[in-house]
Amino acid sequence: MLVAAVLAGGATQMPDGRPTPSGQPVPRWLSLKSSEVRARYGPGLDYRILWEYRASGLPVQVVAETREWRKICDPDGAVAWVHRSVVSSRRSVFNVSDAPVPVHASRSDASPLRARLAPRTLTTIDECEEGWCEVRARRLRGWVREGAVFGAQRRALCNASSPAGPAPRRR
């Protein structure tokens, strides 16, 4: 299992060194199961609701967890807690930029262009290797650069010790 955690890009320990309750690596990628997911300030129903996600399939990065709750980082850099029942291990990526992301036939910028992933668009991800991720939408399959989409990075994108709430404004 340790080898699997290393290959997944995370460790089966929380940022503070404790083992993860799920035995899964942190950070890791999941996606929202439904189009109505409540984001909370803390890990429990008694914590206030900060906002509601309305995007089924949205990739989120787990940066910490309890047995029942996952502390996630979203595409805007916001941090919140969601119940484990509202996330799925299905992988997706999201184009957070205002520009289309090229989808190539193979893992090379020189390979033929198959399509463009429109701004603010979700698509399914199959695998990532050598800095490229294979994506698919219906019958189309192709490769995008790992850093061009949200949902493929191996490093933690939000600090696990950050309090839940909106992303800090960039200056």
Side-chain angles (χ1 to χ4, degrees):
M1 180 169 333
L2 179 61
V3 172
V6 170
L7 292 176
T12 56
Q13 291 183 342
M14 302 280 279
D16 64 6
R18 292 178 296 137
T20 60
S22 67
Q24 297 294 312
V26 171
R28 71 177 178 280
W29 290 101
L30 299 175
S31 61
L32 301 181
K33 277 187 184 177
S34 77
S35 59
E36 293 182 10
V37 174
R38 291 186 179 102
R40 295 188 179 270
Y41 187 76
L45 295 175
D46 52 336
Y47 287 93
R48 69 182 159 93
I49 296 170
L50 297 169
W51 57 79
E52 191 170 288
Y53 290 104
R54 298 213 173 237
S56 180
L58 184 72
V60 293
Q61 188 179 52
V62 176
V63 294
E65 65 182 19
T66 68
R67 182 176 297 239
E68 296 293 320
W69 294 84
R70 306 298 180 250
K71 190 175 191 181
I72 61 167
C73 177
D74 71 18
D76 293 328
V79 175
W81 288 89
V82 297
H83 193 267
R84 70 181 176 94
S85 67
V86 300
V87 290
S88 167
S89 60
R90 285 191 193 156
R91 294 282 309 274
S92 61
V93 291
F94 183 64
N95 178 3
V96 295
S97 76
D98 293 328
V101 171
V103 180
H104 291 273
S106 65
R107 294 183 308 265
S108 167
D109 287 321
S111 69
L113 195 60
R114 288 234 166 121
R116 295 181 197 282
L117 184 60
R120 312 294 293 172
T121 300
L122 284 168
T123 194
T124 303
I125 181 176
D126 285 333
E127 64 176 313
C128 293
E129 54 186 69
E130 300 174 14
W132 291 83
C133 295
E134 187 177 25
V135 296
R136 63 183 155 88
R138 297 186 185 163
R139 292 184 179 178
L140 174 76
R141 285 184 181 272
W143 294 85
V144 297
R145 284 203 165 275
E146 189 175 279
V149 290
F150 179 85
Q153 295 76 10
R154 295 171 194 225
R155 62 179 170 69
L157 299 179
C158 294
N159 186 338
S161 63
S162 294
R169 294 182 187 244
R170 295 190 174 120
R171 297 175 199 252

